[in-house]
Amino acid sequence: MPDGSSFYVTTPIFYVNDVPHIGHAYTEVAADVLARWHRQRGDRTWSLTGTDEHGQKILRSATANGVTPKEWTDRLVREAWEPLLETLNLANDDFIRTTEERHERCVSRFLNDLNEAGYIYSSEFEALYCVGCEEFKPESEIVKGTGAFEGEKVCAIHSKPLELLQETNYFFRLSEFQDRLLELYESRPEFIQPAAARNEVMSFVRSGLKDLSISRTTFDWGVKVPWDESHVVYVWFDALLNYISAIGYGEDDEKFNATWPALHIVGKDILRFHAVIWPAMLMAAGIPAPAGIFGHGWLLVGGEKMSKSKLTGIEPTQITDVFGSDAFRYYFMRAIHFGQDGSFSWEDLSARYQAELANGFGNLASRVIAMVIKYFDGAVPELGELTAADQAIIDRMNTAATKADAAIERIAIDDAIAEIWKLVDELNGYITEQEPWVLAKNEETKPRLATVLATAIQGLGALAILLNPITPIACEKLWQALGGEGSLAEQRIADAVNWKGAGRVEKLAALFPRIEQEVPETPTPKGA
């Protein structure tokens, strides 16, 4: 178990040209689970999320809606992106916006430093640009258009025509860092995860890096290049710097040095920006590389990546309004192997809610506490002589904590939950086999009844601690009903089996109530 070292985790800062969908929420919840877990390990933890608000796509969206870019971003952040924090019950430490002065100061300072170090130069440039990606596209991501775009070159990701841009821009000497990046990847195999993502990035870098255009002159919505205000900084070069602007780079050295480096949780479609461009930028500035880059898969609906045009875009509130934030967090962290693509369906969500949360965990907690109230008037009984069955539950508590912690260390959130859920399943089996309702009928078996229920209560407390990073609302209710001492969020993972309580339990309402309303059917994409 860690010794209180620093853990800094980030999500991407999300582009605010539209409202969030469950793909954004998936990343947010994953980072939040990791942050909550590390806090409960005793690590000095910092969790960052935020919004990316510059660039051509934002400008066009604002213009289409008849407002200024700042009015557009302020409205979307206020009405859609900040409310997402509450919708998902996120416990982030900071929320950064690229339109904040603290961020824009950092961008200007960082650019000046790189310019003075000789890593910036000016040159003519012509290339095909995807506004959706905010990226000049490599040949590998340019395909021939079909249908309405037949005869045109389109983005392989967005399937929309690319724009030919001709400008005199400022460039970052990215090509100079090819060997250093490969050395980083080789010396730290865990730097990029999962392995498939690492292999993809290494293949890309080995194929040869070109210098990166980092300014634009065809529009003015962005941070001005400090020595030439006719240029604005390329939106990705600007956005990546949020990870250090939010922790005081250049302004609060003590905070920066205590917090950096960060683990970046990103979608696989923006992996190269984070695993290639970002470390090279840091190398140029003399800043240590990130702690790691984890590129998770896409959420698929009806077998395809989410798309509003195909009626597969789902807003988080469509799920949380029915099932609650705990169920949202549990489902996406449990049902999908983190790092791979995963399919969402309403039917699977509903089935898991009922079988695993309501019947598996919630019913276990309710009936154990109810039996303590019924048979011992709410007083938690003393443990007597342990049988092999009792010891197996205690051993499982320790094993669940140890193995789940190891899974979190390798960023395998679904594996961590699976290890904890073995305790849920074994406790349910233990109650069924020990039959406390039968033991309660005979005074001679009352001592055995006490040991069985004391063991089960101890298991529930361990579950409250271990599942708190995933389902914090339900776990807090359980902790209160168990009479747990101290704040649940401050209970250490390593000591989950040894938690302390006040010695009495209180009635527990259903942690996961029955869903009365009918859930939607999973949409079928057009053309399927």
Side-chain angles (χ1 to χ4, degrees):
M1 296 273 181
D3 57 2
S5 57
S6 176
F7 179 73
Y8 175 29
V9 63
T10 74
T11 71
I13 50 173
F14 298 108
Y15 218 49
V16 293
N17 62 312
D18 209 338
V19 297
H21 56 59
I22 59 173
H24 304 111
Y26 177 59
T27 314
E28 292 271 30
V29 168
D32 189 64
V33 168
L34 293 172
R36 286 176 184 263
W37 187 279
H38 277 269
R39 290 189 192 107
Q40 287 189 234
R41 290 171 103 181
D43 294 337
R44 293 180 291 107
T45 301
W46 196 258
S47 175
L48 176 69
T49 189
T51 47
D52 183 3
E53 303 178 23
H54 291 134
Q56 193 170 12
K57 189 160 50 173
I58 295 291
L59 177 61
R60 290 184 180 180
S61 295
T63 301
N65 284 274
V67 295
T68 67
K70 189 64 167 68
E71 290 171 333
W72 177 245
T73 56
D74 283 349
R75 180 195 304 172
L76 276 168
V77 170
R78 181 179 65 251
E79 297 179 358
W81 291 93
E82 288 182 337
L84 184 65
L85 306 179
E86 184 175 352
T87 296
L88 302 174
N89 192 17
L90 302 180
N92 55 295
D93 295 289
D94 196 1
F95 186 95
I96 184 81
R97 298 179 60 183
T98 56
T99 51
E100 293 180 56
E101 286 188 12
R102 60 171 172 160
H103 176 73
E104 295 190 350
R105 288 196 305 270
C106 176
V107 174
S108 295
R109 182 183 306 109
F110 191 92
L111 261 179
N112 270 327
D113 290 346
L114 262 58
N115 188 43
E116 291 174 5
Y119 289 113
I120 307 294
Y121 67 92
S122 175
S123 181
E124 297 286 335
F125 189 59
E126 176 178 296
L128 291 170
Y129 190 78
C130 173
V131 175
C133 293
E134 292 283 12
E135 179 187 16
F136 288 104
K137 304 306 294 186
E139 286 296 327
S140 61
E141 293 182 11
I142 300 173
V143 298
K144 294 180 180 179
T146 59
F149 303 132
E150 189 170 356
E152 299 186 65
K153 293 183 176 181
V154 303
C155 171
I157 295 174
H158 288 91
S159 301
K160 291 184 178 179
L162 299 167
E163 300 180 13
L164 181 65
L165 295 187
Q166 298 172 300
E167 296 180 351
T168 298
N169 292 340
Y170 290 102
F171 285 76
F172 168 55
R173 299 184 188 275
L174 179 63
S175 60
E176 293 189 12
F177 294 90
Q178 180 170 328
D179 290 342
R180 289 181 62 184
L181 287 169
L182 290 172
E183 182 181 347
L184 170 65
Y185 308 151
E186 294 284 0
S187 63
R188 292 174 53 189
E190 79 293 344
F191 178 70
I192 303 171
Q193 295 185 63
R198 177 177 182 268
N199 293 338
E200 175 192 325
V201 169
M202 292 188 70
S203 176
F204 175 77
V205 174
R206 283 178 179 139
S207 70
L209 294 180
K210 297 180 180 179
D211 290 347
L212 178 70
S213 171
I214 61 166
S215 72
R216 303 288 181 268
T217 59
T218 53
F219 61 93
D220 62 358
W221 178 238
V223 181
K224 305 292 185 185
V225 172
W227 61 86
D228 185 350
E229 293 198 350
S230 65
H231 289 247
V232 295
V233 179
Y234 170 45
V235 64
W236 267 105
F237 202 90
D238 161 6
L240 288 165
L241 289 166
N242 90 90
Y243 303 127
I244 60 174
S245 69
I247 57 171
Y249 175 72
E251 297 184 348
D252 187 342
D253 291 343
E254 182 178 355
K255 180 179 180 181
F256 179 80
N257 292 331
T259 309
W260 187 258
L263 168 65
H264 301 306
I265 306 296
V266 301
K268 67 180 182 179
D269 50 339
I270 57 173
L271 178 65
R272 285 210 306 264
F273 296 100
H274 288 81
V276 179
I277 296 173
W278 179 227
M281 290 167 60
L282 294 170
M283 289 174 180
I287 301 171
I293 318 290
F294 193 98
H296 66 71
W298 287 334
L299 289 188
L300 309 177
V301 178
E304 295 187 8
K305 190 181 179 186
M306 284 180 296
S307 165
K308 286 195 170 184
S309 64
K310 294 184 178 180
L311 304 179
T312 56
I314 300 171
E315 294 182 18
T317 52
Q318 292 177 259
I319 295 174
T320 58
D321 285 351
V322 177
F323 294 94
S325 63
D326 272 1
F328 184 106
R329 295 166 64 94
Y330 173 83
Y331 175 77
F332 285 105
M333 295 299 99
R334 176 78 193 271
I336 298 167
H337 183 62
F338 199 57
Q340 298 178 359
D341 291 348
S343 293
F344 165 80
S345 79
W346 288 100
E347 296 80 6
D348 188 40
L349 169 60
S350 183
R352 285 180 179 269
Y353 178 91
Q354 188 62 34
E356 297 172 18
L357 292 176
N359 292 341
F361 178 35
N363 188 50
L364 168 69
S366 295
R367 65 177 179 155
V368 168
I369 289 175
M371 284 188 285
V372 173
I373 293 173
K374 181 178 181 179
Y375 301 136
F376 293 93
D377 196 29
V380 178
E382 294 290 331
L383 276 173
E385 184 178 350
L386 298 181
T387 67
D390 309 325
Q391 189 61 50
I393 292 297
I394 294 171
D395 291 344
R396 174 56 63 188
M397 293 183 221
N398 285 309
T399 301
T402 302
K403 289 191 173 182
D405 190 68
I408 291 293
E409 183 69 17
R410 62 178 188 270
I411 321 177
I413 301 174
D414 53 311
D415 288 349
I417 298 174
E419 289 296 338
I420 300 167
W421 221 256
K422 290 178 182 177
L423 176 57
V424 174
D425 292 338
E426 290 192 21
L427 273 172
N428 273 309
Y430 174 75
I431 294 299
T432 299
E433 292 169 4
Q434 299 303 313
E435 298 182 315
W437 49 89
V438 175
L439 297 173
K441 293 178 180 179
N442 192 325
E443 282 299 319
E444 293 180 0
T445 54
K446 273 292 185 75
R448 179 63 193 151
L449 172 67
T451 295
V452 168
L453 291 182
T455 300
I457 286 291
Q458 198 67 19
L460 287 180
L463 284 174
I465 293 168
L466 297 175
L467 287 173
N468 184 57
I470 299 101
T471 55
I473 294 176
C475 289
E476 181 61 38
K477 291 177 182 177
L478 176 56
W479 187 249
Q480 294 302 318
L482 292 171
E485 291 184 354
S487 166
L488 177 57
E490 295 176 358
Q491 303 303 307
R492 293 290 176 258
I493 296 295
D495 295 329
V497 70
N498 298 315
W499 67 276
K500 303 298 181 184
R504 294 194 62 83
V505 298
E506 298 177 357
K507 185 177 179 180
L508 177 67
L511 297 181
F512 299 97
R514 181 184 299 276
I515 302 298
E516 300 294 345
Q517 66 189 91
E518 191 172 328
V519 299
E521 291 185 5
T522 303
T524 300
K526 293 179 180 179

